[in-house]
Amino acid sequence: MARWAIAIHGGAGVDPNLPEHRQEEAKRVLARCLQVGVDLLRAGAAALDVVEAVVRELETDPCFNSGRGSALTRAGTVEMEASIMDGHGRRCGAVSGVSTVRNPVSLARRVMDKSPHSYLAFDGAEDFAREQGLEVVDNSYFITEENVGMLKLAKDANTILFDYRIPLAGADTCSALAAASENRNNNGMVMNGLPISIYAPETVGCAVVDSNGFTAAATSTGGLMNKMTGRIGDSPLIGAGTYACGHCAVSCTGEGEAIIRSTLARDVAAVMEYKGLPLQEAVDFCVKERLDEGFAGLIAVSGTGEVAYGFNCTGMFRGCATEDGFMEVGIWE
């Protein structure tokens, strides 16, 4: 029997001024969702079922940017995306532009299991969800009062927002947003070659290897606050935001355009396969050498039960556990 292991994340690129009580709230959510996965693995569940269940939990809690609590488009609506991959046979499913499906990761699973395709988007994905009998809700379900306020701030600043989970506090929040924008402009931050003020990489994901040695990964997000409608990031793209094979399972988070250019998730598996690197060394290599000027992070598990993570930005919400009893939840280095 192989050793099971699980890693989860709630996004990379954490505002260093995030209030302590919000940090603790995030860690509580991570710990709860991690425990869901641990309990399933202890009961002998398959990796694919575990990653779907854990990401569903993360999508349901508005603490992170996926499902309920997703970032808003310029139009004030939610457009979500998700992907899932089974390392056993490298089957995959993905969706983009989802606006009414309560749990986009489960729709991605249905695309993989119940359709002849690997990727559906917008109206086609929505129609398929209804054909499959998945739970749908009004778009307003995903929109929180806090995000409406942060979208207004982002529009007023004419920017894409970095960390929209900072509590609204009138002038203090406006000042913090302006200071963050000025600081990042001074640092010359760019996205896809274009200057931006601040960006929002809070995505959720899970990577698992089960007791049979099979791997799986899943990633889900609402994208960027104040993004253009129709924008698609790395999270639904197999090989970029999500990948699983016999060597490892990977879920990424951060600057989507940089992750897409580097095919970050697949690259971790590739350097393990072709360079013979162990998991943590492969993660470190890809974060350091493949992102160019982009900012991102990732979690990973190996087919032999190792866990690893890496990021080149300020913090990453994350947690992991292994069969030997190790369990950890963290944000900073």
Side-chain angles (χ1 to χ4, degrees), residues 157 159-163 177 180-181 184-185 189 196-200:
T159 189
I160 298 169
L161 195 56
F162 169 68
D163 195 329
L177 180 61
S181 177
R184 287 175 175 83
N185 276 336
M189 182 174 286
I196 62 167
S197 297
I198 41 186
Y199 73 102

Side-chain angles (χ1 to χ4, degrees), residues 33-307:
C33 295
L34 182 62
Q35 191 63 52
V36 168
V38 168
D39 291 345
L40 287 169
L41 286 164
R42 286 174 175 165
L48 193 62
D49 295 330
V50 175
V51 296
E52 181 185 4
V54 171
V55 172
R56 281 177 61 94
E57 286 289 321
L58 289 163
E59 288 175 337
T60 301
D61 196 297
C63 183
F64 296 116
N65 176 13
S66 66
R68 187 164 183 265
S70 284
L72 306 180
T73 68
R74 290 180 180 177
T77 59
V78 165
E79 292 181 354
M80 301 167 291
E81 45 198 24
S83 63
I84 191 167
M85 188 166 187
D86 183 358
H88 184 56
R90 288 185 285 193
R91 300 183 307 129
C92 60
V95 294
S96 286
V98 175
S99 59
T100 68
V101 180
R102 185 184 179 100
N103 291 109
V105 70
S106 291
L107 179 55
R109 174 81 183 267
R110 292 296 182 94
V111 171
M112 179 180 71
D113 288 342
K114 301 296 184 180
S115 86
H117 307 301
S118 295
Y119 196 161
L120 293 175
F122 296 93
D123 289 347
E126 292 282 340
D127 291 345
F128 183 67
R130 286 163 174 77
E131 291 173 10
Q132 291 295 307
L134 294 181
E135 184 178 2
V136 295
V137 293
D138 189 80
N139 194 252
S140 61
Y141 162 82
F142 304 102
I143 300 173
T144 64
E145 181 179 352
E146 184 175 53
N147 283 355
V148 172
M150 296 310 289
L151 176 63
K152 182 180 186 303
L153 290 177
K155 285 186 172 183
D156 290 346
N158 192 29
T159 189
I160 298 169
L161 195 56
F162 169 68
D163 195 329
Y164 63 91
R165 288 171 294 98
I166 298 174
L168 293 176
D172 290 341
T173 300
C174 294
S175 298
L177 180 61
S181 177
E182 179 179 358
N183 179 60
R184 287 175 175 83
N185 276 336
N186 291 339
N187 289 337
M189 182 174 286
V190 298
M191 177 174 286
N192 208 28
L194 299 175
I196 62 167
S197 297
I198 41 186
Y199 73 102
E202 288 81 10
T203 292
V204 305
C206 182
V208 166
V209 57
D210 61 29
S211 57
N212 291 312
F214 296 146
T215 67
T219 311
S220 180
T221 189
L224 303 175
M225 183 66 78
N226 200 28
K227 66 183 179 181
M228 296 174 63
T229 56
R231 182 260 184 184
I232 294 173
D234 67 286
S235 296
L237 301 184
I238 300 302
T242 304
Y243 194 74
C245 62
H247 291 281
C248 63
V250 182
S251 175
C252 299
T253 171
E255 184 186 334
E257 282 69 10
I259 295 171
I260 292 168
R261 294 194 303 271
S262 64
T263 58
L264 189 60
R266 166 57 186 158
D267 224 37
V268 173
V271 297
M272 291 183 71
E273 182 176 356
Y274 301 133
K275 292 175 69 72
L277 295 185
L279 181 67
Q280 186 65 62
E281 289 185 28
V283 169
D284 293 342
F285 176 85
C286 291
V287 170
K288 180 179 180 180
E289 302 293 339
R290 292 293 187 254
L291 283 168
D292 300 320
E293 296 180 355
F295 293 92
L298 63 88
I299 55 167
V301 300
S302 72
T304 55
E306 303 164 298
V307 294

